[in-house]
Amino acid sequence: MAKDINKLPYDEATLTKLEIFEQYLLAWLPVFIQSQYSQRIRICDYCAGSGQDSAGIPGSPLRILRTIEKYRDSIFEKNISVDVVFNEKISDKSDELQKSVNSCFDYSSWNSKVNISCHNEEFQNLFERQYEQLKQQPNLIFIDQYGIKEVTPEIFQMLIDLKQTDFLFFMSSSAMNRFAHTPEFRVHFPDIAPEVISSAKYEDVHRIMLEYYKSKIPSGNETKLYPFTLKKGANIYGLVFGSKHPLEVEKFLDVAWDKNKINGEANFDIDKDLPKKEATLFDSLPDYERLKTKKELFEVELWNFIKSRDKVTNKDIYYFTLDQGHPKSHARECIMQLKKEGKVEYKGNIGYSYKSCVKNDPKPIRLIK
Ligand SMILES: C[S@@+](CC[C@H](N)C(=O)[O-])C[C@H]1O[C@@H](n2cnc3c(N)ncnc32)[C@H](O)[C@@H]1O
């Protein structure tokens, strides 16, 4: 039995998870409020808990409400309807959540622009029942499960089949390690070889789970997945973010790299990059003998990518950067450095955001041979 997360103060890793979710939501909402394509959006928190921790720190549902509040004016101005779905399977916790929502959410002031429904069901039942509804508008889905059992291969398939849907799910990757050899595990994940999990390095279990989910994406499905590993004592947990849209990927990577400027994918130094950085400052080793940090490796890859092509634009660089799991700021810094070194040239200022690269005409970057 998992400990009730809402009966204790949230620990550091949980707070990081909640902050990533909230910061992502803060970036996600305005995209759809401003969009001319949809008048309705939906935010689902399917394992919502009771609303806060034992010290009154807001959990995911109350963070959703306070983020929506920040966009009150634009929601009215753009005449967007926001449906919020909360679900918690334990009745007492679900009742408590409903009370917290009632006390902090001023229904009448929203004039039905924001609709909240609180459910007390098994996630999978509710998800399947609401599935048709989820096809009707853009959604952000948060599945903050305990353990690993809720996002089964079937549920994952349903998630990635949805259009205009971004999702974040949490999983206890260490639980994979513990249960990998049990019959129950085989029922949930019939096609993961237990040895792959049990032989993995502890820090890498979440990445391996991510690769497993990636391998389940059929060709032709555009969903991209990104991890954020969370270490909590001797356990490894993590978030999996999924989206089909580059702008949402860009926003998630900005949030993740803001949380950890060394690797953008963990709440610790997952690839031992800090000693590599220190070596740059204090060792007299030539550049080629030094181990490179994740960001330096990206710069090498980006340079190789540019050299491998006859023509390259900021749009090509934008997609390459997202595929590599880096934020647009890394692309900008790298290209500016290449220009300084006389390796590339371009006219004026070039941006590396979705707006600059995809919405506007792509700008050429010329390799100086
Ligand atoms: C990690 S906690 C969520 C914490 C919450 N996001 C917060 O910020 O406080 C997981 C919650 O999901 C609930 N839960 C677990 N399995 C569930 C299921 N199958 N369906 C719905 N809720 C579930 C648990 O009772 C627990 O309250």
PDB file of all heavy atoms in Angstrom, residues 194-219:
ATOM      1  N   PRO A 194      11.705  -8.794 -18.024  1.00  0.00           N
ATOM      2  CA  PRO A 194      12.087  -8.394 -16.665  1.00  0.00           C
ATOM      3  C   PRO A 194      13.586  -8.142 -16.510  1.00  0.00           C
ATOM      4  O   PRO A 194      14.002  -7.244 -15.788  1.00  0.00           O
ATOM      5  CB  PRO A 194      11.654  -9.589 -15.801  1.00  0.00           C
ATOM      6  CG  PRO A 194      10.651 -10.312 -16.614  1.00  0.00           C
ATOM      7  CD  PRO A 194      10.942 -10.040 -18.044  1.00  0.00           C
ATOM      8  N   GLU A 195      14.421  -8.915 -17.258  1.00  0.00           N
ATOM      9  CA  GLU A 195      15.878  -8.747 -17.108  1.00  0.00           C
ATOM     10  C   GLU A 195      16.319  -7.343 -17.557  1.00  0.00           C
ATOM     11  O   GLU A 195      17.268  -6.786 -17.007  1.00  0.00           O
ATOM     12  CB  GLU A 195      16.680  -9.735 -17.975  1.00  0.00           C
ATOM     13  CG  GLU A 195      16.244 -11.178 -17.945  1.00  0.00           C
ATOM     14  CD  GLU A 195      14.964 -11.419 -18.727  1.00  0.00           C
ATOM     15  OE1 GLU A 195      14.927 -11.302 -19.950  1.00  0.00           O
ATOM     16  OE2 GLU A 195      13.979 -11.742 -18.033  1.00  0.00           O
ATOM     17  N   VAL A 196      15.603  -6.785 -18.550  1.00  0.00           N
ATOM     18  CA  VAL A 196      15.994  -5.453 -19.031  1.00  0.00           C
ATOM     19  C   VAL A 196      15.869  -4.455 -17.888  1.00  0.00           C
ATOM     20  O   VAL A 196      16.706  -3.574 -17.678  1.00  0.00           O
ATOM     21  CB  VAL A 196      15.088  -5.022 -20.219  1.00  0.00           C
ATOM     22  CG1 VAL A 196      15.322  -3.578 -20.622  1.00  0.00           C
ATOM     23  CG2 VAL A 196      15.316  -5.953 -21.387  1.00  0.00           C
ATOM     24  N   ILE A 197      14.799  -4.608 -17.119  1.00  0.00           N
ATOM     25  CA  ILE A 197      14.566  -3.697 -16.004  1.00  0.00           C
ATOM     26  C   ILE A 197      15.543  -3.993 -14.869  1.00  0.00           C
ATOM     27  O   ILE A 197      16.192  -3.090 -14.345  1.00  0.00           O
ATOM     28  CB  ILE A 197      13.110  -3.861 -15.470  1.00  0.00           C
ATOM     29  CG1 ILE A 197      12.098  -3.576 -16.585  1.00  0.00           C
ATOM     30  CG2 ILE A 197      12.862  -2.996 -14.251  1.00  0.00           C
ATOM     31  CD1 ILE A 197      11.968  -2.138 -16.966  1.00  0.00           C
ATOM     32  N   SER A 198      15.652  -5.282 -14.506  1.00  0.00           N
ATOM     33  CA  SER A 198      16.449  -5.573 -13.312  1.00  0.00           C
ATOM     34  C   SER A 198      17.949  -5.391 -13.546  1.00  0.00           C
ATOM     35  O   SER A 198      18.690  -5.155 -12.603  1.00  0.00           O
ATOM     36  CB  SER A 198      16.138  -6.974 -12.775  1.00  0.00           C
ATOM     37  OG  SER A 198      16.230  -7.909 -13.816  1.00  0.00           O
ATOM     38  N   SER A 199      18.395  -5.427 -14.805  1.00  0.00           N
ATOM     39  CA  SER A 199      19.835  -5.237 -15.024  1.00  0.00           C
ATOM     40  C   SER A 199      20.187  -3.754 -15.255  1.00  0.00           C
ATOM     41  O   SER A 199      21.355  -3.402 -15.386  1.00  0.00           O
ATOM     42  CB  SER A 199      20.297  -6.072 -16.225  1.00  0.00           C
ATOM     43  OG  SER A 199      19.625  -5.625 -17.376  1.00  0.00           O
ATOM     44  N   ALA A 200      19.173  -2.905 -15.294  1.00  0.00           N
ATOM     45  CA  ALA A 200      19.448  -1.489 -15.584  1.00  0.00           C
ATOM     46  C   ALA A 200      20.067  -0.797 -14.386  1.00  0.00           C
ATOM     47  O   ALA A 200      19.806  -1.172 -13.246  1.00  0.00           O
ATOM     48  CB  ALA A 200      18.144  -0.782 -15.946  1.00  0.00           C
ATOM     49  N   LYS A 201      20.869   0.236 -14.677  1.00  0.00           N
ATOM     50  CA  LYS A 201      21.389   1.061 -13.581  1.00  0.00           C
ATOM     51  C   LYS A 201      20.200   1.794 -12.972  1.00  0.00           C
ATOM     52  O   LYS A 201      19.296   2.245 -13.693  1.00  0.00           O
ATOM     53  CB  LYS A 201      22.373   2.102 -14.132  1.00  0.00           C
ATOM     54  CG  LYS A 201      23.794   1.588 -14.190  1.00  0.00           C
ATOM     55  CD  LYS A 201      24.801   2.746 -14.199  1.00  0.00           C
ATOM     56  CE  LYS A 201      24.567   3.704 -15.321  1.00  0.00           C
ATOM     57  NZ  LYS A 201      25.423   4.768 -15.589  1.00  0.00           N
ATOM     58  N   TYR A 202      20.273   1.931 -11.622  1.00  0.00           N
ATOM     59  CA  TYR A 202      19.179   2.553 -10.879  1.00  0.00           C
ATOM     60  C   TYR A 202      18.747   3.896 -11.486  1.00  0.00           C
ATOM     61  O   TYR A 202      17.567   4.147 -11.718  1.00  0.00           O
ATOM     62  CB  TYR A 202      19.683   2.629  -9.432  1.00  0.00           C
ATOM     63  CG  TYR A 202      19.253   3.724  -8.550  1.00  0.00           C
ATOM     64  CD1 TYR A 202      18.036   3.619  -7.864  1.00  0.00           C
ATOM     65  CD2 TYR A 202      20.063   4.843  -8.323  1.00  0.00           C
ATOM     66  CE1 TYR A 202      17.656   4.617  -6.985  1.00  0.00           C
ATOM     67  CE2 TYR A 202      19.685   5.830  -7.445  1.00  0.00           C
ATOM     68  CZ  TYR A 202      18.486   5.722  -6.791  1.00  0.00           C
ATOM     69  OH  TYR A 202      18.097   6.701  -5.935  1.00  0.00           O
ATOM     70  N   GLU A 203      19.719   4.764 -11.834  1.00  0.00           N
ATOM     71  CA  GLU A 203      19.351   6.091 -12.364  1.00  0.00           C
ATOM     72  C   GLU A 203      18.684   5.978 -13.735  1.00  0.00           C
ATOM     73  O   GLU A 203      18.016   6.908 -14.172  1.00  0.00           O
ATOM     74  CB  GLU A 203      20.583   6.995 -12.569  1.00  0.00           C
ATOM     75  CG  GLU A 203      21.409   7.274 -11.369  1.00  0.00           C
ATOM     76  CD  GLU A 203      22.498   6.229 -11.211  1.00  0.00           C
ATOM     77  OE1 GLU A 203      22.702   5.417 -12.129  1.00  0.00           O
ATOM     78  OE2 GLU A 203      23.112   6.204 -10.161  1.00  0.00           O
ATOM     79  N   ASP A 204      18.901   4.851 -14.416  1.00  0.00           N
ATOM     80  CA  ASP A 204      18.426   4.765 -15.801  1.00  0.00           C
ATOM     81  C   ASP A 204      17.058   4.108 -15.956  1.00  0.00           C
ATOM     82  O   ASP A 204      16.528   4.036 -17.067  1.00  0.00           O
ATOM     83  CB  ASP A 204      19.432   3.962 -16.646  1.00  0.00           C
ATOM     84  CG  ASP A 204      20.691   4.757 -16.898  1.00  0.00           C
ATOM     85  OD1 ASP A 204      20.617   5.991 -16.783  1.00  0.00           O
ATOM     86  OD2 ASP A 204      21.727   4.154 -17.192  1.00  0.00           O
ATOM     87  N   VAL A 205      16.483   3.617 -14.835  1.00  0.00           N
ATOM     88  CA  VAL A 205      15.238   2.851 -14.971  1.00  0.00           C
ATOM     89  C   VAL A 205      14.127   3.684 -15.623  1.00  0.00           C
ATOM     90  O   VAL A 205      13.370   3.188 -16.457  1.00  0.00           O
ATOM     91  CB  VAL A 205      14.731   2.338 -13.598  1.00  0.00           C
ATOM     92  CG1 VAL A 205      13.532   1.440 -13.768  1.00  0.00           C
ATOM     93  CG2 VAL A 205      15.811   1.605 -12.873  1.00  0.00           C
ATOM     94  N   HIS A 206      14.086   4.967 -15.249  1.00  0.00           N
ATOM     95  CA  HIS A 206      13.003   5.779 -15.816  1.00  0.00           C
ATOM     96  C   HIS A 206      13.210   5.989 -17.323  1.00  0.00           C
ATOM     97  O   HIS A 206      12.252   5.964 -18.096  1.00  0.00           O
ATOM     98  CB  HIS A 206      12.893   7.113 -15.079  1.00  0.00           C
ATOM     99  CG  HIS A 206      11.698   7.904 -15.506  1.00  0.00           C
ATOM    100  ND1 HIS A 206      10.413   7.442 -15.360  1.00  0.00           N
ATOM    101  CD2 HIS A 206      11.588   9.107 -16.123  1.00  0.00           C
ATOM    102  CE1 HIS A 206       9.576   8.328 -15.856  1.00  0.00           C
ATOM    103  NE2 HIS A 206      10.259   9.345 -16.336  1.00  0.00           N
ATOM    104  N   ARG A 207      14.451   6.165 -17.729  1.00  0.00           N
ATOM    105  CA  ARG A 207      14.734   6.307 -19.166  1.00  0.00           C
ATOM    106  C   ARG A 207      14.358   5.022 -19.911  1.00  0.00           C
ATOM    107  O   ARG A 207      13.877   5.072 -21.041  1.00  0.00           O
ATOM    108  CB  ARG A 207      16.212   6.591 -19.386  1.00  0.00           C
ATOM    109  CG  ARG A 207      16.613   8.024 -19.047  1.00  0.00           C
ATOM    110  CD  ARG A 207      18.110   8.128 -19.046  1.00  0.00           C
ATOM    111  NE  ARG A 207      18.563   9.495 -19.107  1.00  0.00           N
ATOM    112  CZ  ARG A 207      19.838   9.842 -18.957  1.00  0.00           C
ATOM    113  NH1 ARG A 207      20.757   8.933 -18.729  1.00  0.00           N
ATOM    114  NH2 ARG A 207      20.200  11.100 -19.021  1.00  0.00           N
ATOM    115  N   ILE A 208      14.608   3.892 -19.262  1.00  0.00           N
ATOM    116  CA  ILE A 208      14.259   2.620 -19.922  1.00  0.00           C
ATOM    117  C   ILE A 208      12.741   2.517 -20.079  1.00  0.00           C
ATOM    118  O   ILE A 208      12.244   2.099 -21.126  1.00  0.00           O
ATOM    119  CB  ILE A 208      14.838   1.438 -19.122  1.00  0.00           C
ATOM    120  CG1 ILE A 208      16.349   1.458 -19.330  1.00  0.00           C
ATOM    121  CG2 ILE A 208      14.231   0.107 -19.537  1.00  0.00           C
ATOM    122  CD1 ILE A 208      17.097   0.461 -18.534  1.00  0.00           C
ATOM    123  N   MET A 209      12.029   2.962 -19.055  1.00  0.00           N
ATOM    124  CA  MET A 209      10.565   2.943 -19.169  1.00  0.00           C
ATOM    125  C   MET A 209      10.113   3.863 -20.303  1.00  0.00           C
ATOM    126  O   MET A 209       9.185   3.550 -21.039  1.00  0.00           O
ATOM    127  CB  MET A 209       9.917   3.377 -17.842  1.00  0.00           C
ATOM    128  CG  MET A 209       9.935   2.310 -16.787  1.00  0.00           C
ATOM    129  SD  MET A 209       9.419   0.706 -17.438  1.00  0.00           S
ATOM    130  CE  MET A 209       7.748   1.031 -17.968  1.00  0.00           C
ATOM    131  N   LEU A 210      10.802   4.994 -20.413  1.00  0.00           N
ATOM    132  CA  LEU A 210      10.450   5.916 -21.497  1.00  0.00           C
ATOM    133  C   LEU A 210      10.668   5.237 -22.853  1.00  0.00           C
ATOM    134  O   LEU A 210       9.812   5.333 -23.745  1.00  0.00           O
ATOM    135  CB  LEU A 210      11.308   7.178 -21.413  1.00  0.00           C
ATOM    136  CG  LEU A 210      10.913   8.207 -22.451  1.00  0.00           C
ATOM    137  CD1 LEU A 210       9.883   9.160 -21.876  1.00  0.00           C
ATOM    138  CD2 LEU A 210      12.100   8.977 -22.968  1.00  0.00           C
ATOM    139  N   GLU A 211      11.786   4.522 -22.993  1.00  0.00           N
ATOM    140  CA  GLU A 211      12.071   3.841 -24.263  1.00  0.00           C
ATOM    141  C   GLU A 211      10.997   2.789 -24.538  1.00  0.00           C
ATOM    142  O   GLU A 211      10.587   2.577 -25.674  1.00  0.00           O
ATOM    143  CB  GLU A 211      13.469   3.190 -24.241  1.00  0.00           C
ATOM    144  CG  GLU A 211      14.613   4.189 -24.264  1.00  0.00           C
ATOM    145  CD  GLU A 211      14.490   5.234 -25.369  1.00  0.00           C
ATOM    146  OE1 GLU A 211      14.189   4.861 -26.518  1.00  0.00           O
ATOM    147  OE2 GLU A 211      14.677   6.446 -25.079  1.00  0.00           O
ATOM    148  N   TYR A 212      10.545   2.140 -23.461  1.00  0.00           N
ATOM    149  CA  TYR A 212       9.486   1.139 -23.627  1.00  0.00           C
ATOM    150  C   TYR A 212       8.230   1.812 -24.207  1.00  0.00           C
ATOM    151  O   TYR A 212       7.666   1.353 -25.214  1.00  0.00           O
ATOM    152  CB  TYR A 212       9.166   0.463 -22.286  1.00  0.00           C
ATOM    153  CG  TYR A 212       7.865  -0.290 -22.319  1.00  0.00           C
ATOM    154  CD1 TYR A 212       7.778  -1.512 -22.994  1.00  0.00           C
ATOM    155  CD2 TYR A 212       6.716   0.242 -21.742  1.00  0.00           C
ATOM    156  CE1 TYR A 212       6.574  -2.188 -23.069  1.00  0.00           C
ATOM    157  CE2 TYR A 212       5.509  -0.437 -21.812  1.00  0.00           C
ATOM    158  CZ  TYR A 212       5.448  -1.642 -22.476  1.00  0.00           C
ATOM    159  OH  TYR A 212       4.249  -2.307 -22.568  1.00  0.00           O
ATOM    160  N   TYR A 213       7.825   2.921 -23.585  1.00  0.00           N
ATOM    161  CA  TYR A 213       6.622   3.601 -24.099  1.00  0.00           C
ATOM    162  C   TYR A 213       6.863   4.110 -25.527  1.00  0.00           C
ATOM    163  O   TYR A 213       5.971   4.036 -26.370  1.00  0.00           O
ATOM    164  CB  TYR A 213       6.198   4.745 -23.163  1.00  0.00           C
ATOM    165  CG  TYR A 213       5.462   4.257 -21.927  1.00  0.00           C
ATOM    166  CD1 TYR A 213       6.044   4.304 -20.674  1.00  0.00           C
ATOM    167  CD2 TYR A 213       4.177   3.725 -22.027  1.00  0.00           C
ATOM    168  CE1 TYR A 213       5.370   3.850 -19.544  1.00  0.00           C
ATOM    169  CE2 TYR A 213       3.492   3.266 -20.907  1.00  0.00           C
ATOM    170  CZ  TYR A 213       4.096   3.330 -19.667  1.00  0.00           C
ATOM    171  OH  TYR A 213       3.420   2.874 -18.571  1.00  0.00           O
ATOM    172  N   LYS A 214       8.077   4.602 -25.793  1.00  0.00           N
ATOM    173  CA  LYS A 214       8.370   5.074 -27.164  1.00  0.00           C
ATOM    174  C   LYS A 214       8.207   3.932 -28.164  1.00  0.00           C
ATOM    175  O   LYS A 214       7.703   4.126 -29.268  1.00  0.00           O
ATOM    176  CB  LYS A 214       9.815   5.589 -27.244  1.00  0.00           C
ATOM    177  CG  LYS A 214       9.986   7.014 -26.800  1.00  0.00           C
ATOM    178  CD  LYS A 214      11.420   7.446 -27.111  1.00  0.00           C
ATOM    179  CE  LYS A 214      11.648   8.876 -26.673  1.00  0.00           C
ATOM    180  NZ  LYS A 214      13.068   9.242 -26.766  1.00  0.00           N
ATOM    181  N   SER A 215       8.638   2.742 -27.754  1.00  0.00           N
ATOM    182  CA  SER A 215       8.565   1.608 -28.683  1.00  0.00           C
ATOM    183  C   SER A 215       7.115   1.223 -28.982  1.00  0.00           C
ATOM    184  O   SER A 215       6.836   0.480 -29.916  1.00  0.00           O
ATOM    185  CB  SER A 215       9.320   0.404 -28.111  1.00  0.00           C
ATOM    186  OG  SER A 215       8.564  -0.173 -27.061  1.00  0.00           O
ATOM    187  N   LYS A 216       6.189   1.721 -28.167  1.00  0.00           N
ATOM    188  CA  LYS A 216       4.768   1.398 -28.366  1.00  0.00           C
ATOM    189  C   LYS A 216       4.073   2.392 -29.299  1.00  0.00           C
ATOM    190  O   LYS A 216       2.873   2.277 -29.554  1.00  0.00           O
ATOM    191  CB  LYS A 216       4.031   1.431 -27.012  1.00  0.00           C
ATOM    192  CG  LYS A 216       4.505   0.381 -26.034  1.00  0.00           C
ATOM    193  CD  LYS A 216       3.780  -0.897 -26.255  1.00  0.00           C
ATOM    194  CE  LYS A 216       4.688  -2.060 -26.182  1.00  0.00           C
ATOM    195  NZ  LYS A 216       4.252  -3.238 -26.861  1.00  0.00           N
ATOM    196  N   ILE A 217       4.801   3.408 -29.742  1.00  0.00           N
ATOM    197  CA  ILE A 217       4.168   4.404 -30.629  1.00  0.00           C
ATOM    198  C   ILE A 217       4.231   3.882 -32.057  1.00  0.00           C
ATOM    199  O   ILE A 217       5.327   3.675 -32.596  1.00  0.00           O
ATOM    200  CB  ILE A 217       4.892   5.767 -30.528  1.00  0.00           C
ATOM    201  CG1 ILE A 217       4.853   6.266 -29.077  1.00  0.00           C
ATOM    202  CG2 ILE A 217       4.263   6.794 -31.461  1.00  0.00           C
ATOM    203  CD1 ILE A 217       5.655   7.535 -28.833  1.00  0.00           C
ATOM    204  N   PRO A 218       3.089   3.624 -32.679  1.00  0.00           N
ATOM    205  CA  PRO A 218       3.120   3.076 -34.043  1.00  0.00           C
ATOM    206  C   PRO A 218       3.655   4.092 -35.033  1.00  0.00           C
ATOM    207  O   PRO A 218       3.546   5.294 -34.808  1.00  0.00           O
ATOM    208  CB  PRO A 218       1.640   2.768 -34.341  1.00  0.00           C
ATOM    209  CG  PRO A 218       0.853   3.234 -33.196  1.00  0.00           C
ATOM    210  CD  PRO A 218       1.737   3.884 -32.185  1.00  0.00           C
ATOM    211  N   SER A 219       4.215   3.586 -36.135  1.00  0.00           N
ATOM    212  CA  SER A 219       4.738   4.539 -37.124  1.00  0.00           C
ATOM    213  C   SER A 219       3.551   5.320 -37.680  1.00  0.00           C
ATOM    214  O   SER A 219       2.445   4.796 -37.821  1.00  0.00           O
ATOM    215  CB  SER A 219       5.500   3.817 -38.231  1.00  0.00           C
ATOM    216  OG  SER A 219       4.601   3.039 -38.958  1.00  0.00           O
TER     217      SER A 219
END
